[in-house]
Amino acid sequence: PDDMDASPVYQEPTEEFIFCRVSILKSGENKYFLSDERDIAIGNMVIILNGDCEEKGIVLSVEHHTRTTAPCDPETTQRILRLEK
């Protein structure tokens, strides 16, 4: 019938994550953060949480990944708080 491929193998959902490599201006450290902004772009100034302090960073790369191709675990990756206006 409709379910021709009834394999018991679990299929990961094809949820897409937007990973941004951000250079934290204060320390120069580069880290991956997740973004909810679909139109985020390289060069955007962003606000991230570093420890418990808000800091500015600049987006170095924007990468679209699934859970299996992600550069780090989406569950533990910090999120970009907001774009700097």
Side-chain angles (χ1 to χ4, degrees):
D2 291 336
D3 199 6
M4 296 290 287
D5 182 26
S7 65
V9 178
Y10 174 69
Q11 293 292 313
E12 280 285 338
T14 55
E15 184 179 3
E16 187 179 76
F17 299 94
I18 303 171
F19 278 88
C20 297
R21 193 157 181 80
V22 174
S23 177
I24 301 167
L25 296 182
K26 196 173 190 180
S27 65
E29 183 184 8
N30 294 341
K31 289 175 67 175
Y32 277 106
F33 291 85
L34 282 170
S35 175
D36 296 322
E37 297 282 339
R38 298 219 58 86
D39 56 352
I40 197 161
I42 293 170
N44 281 156
M45 293 293 294
V46 293
I47 304 298
I48 53 94
L49 204 57
N50 196 13
D52 52 4
C53 301
E54 287 190 3
E55 292 189 23
K56 288 184 184 181
I58 189 164
V59 177
L60 301 177
S61 71
V62 178
E63 305 171 17
H64 296 261
H65 289 280
T66 62
R67 192 174 295 280
T68 51
T69 65
C72 39
D73 183 359
E75 301 301 320
T76 58
T77 303
Q78 290 180 288
R79 294 191 171 273
I80 291 173
L81 296 179
R82 61 187 180 277
L83 289 174
E84 175 76 346
K85 299 292 181 232

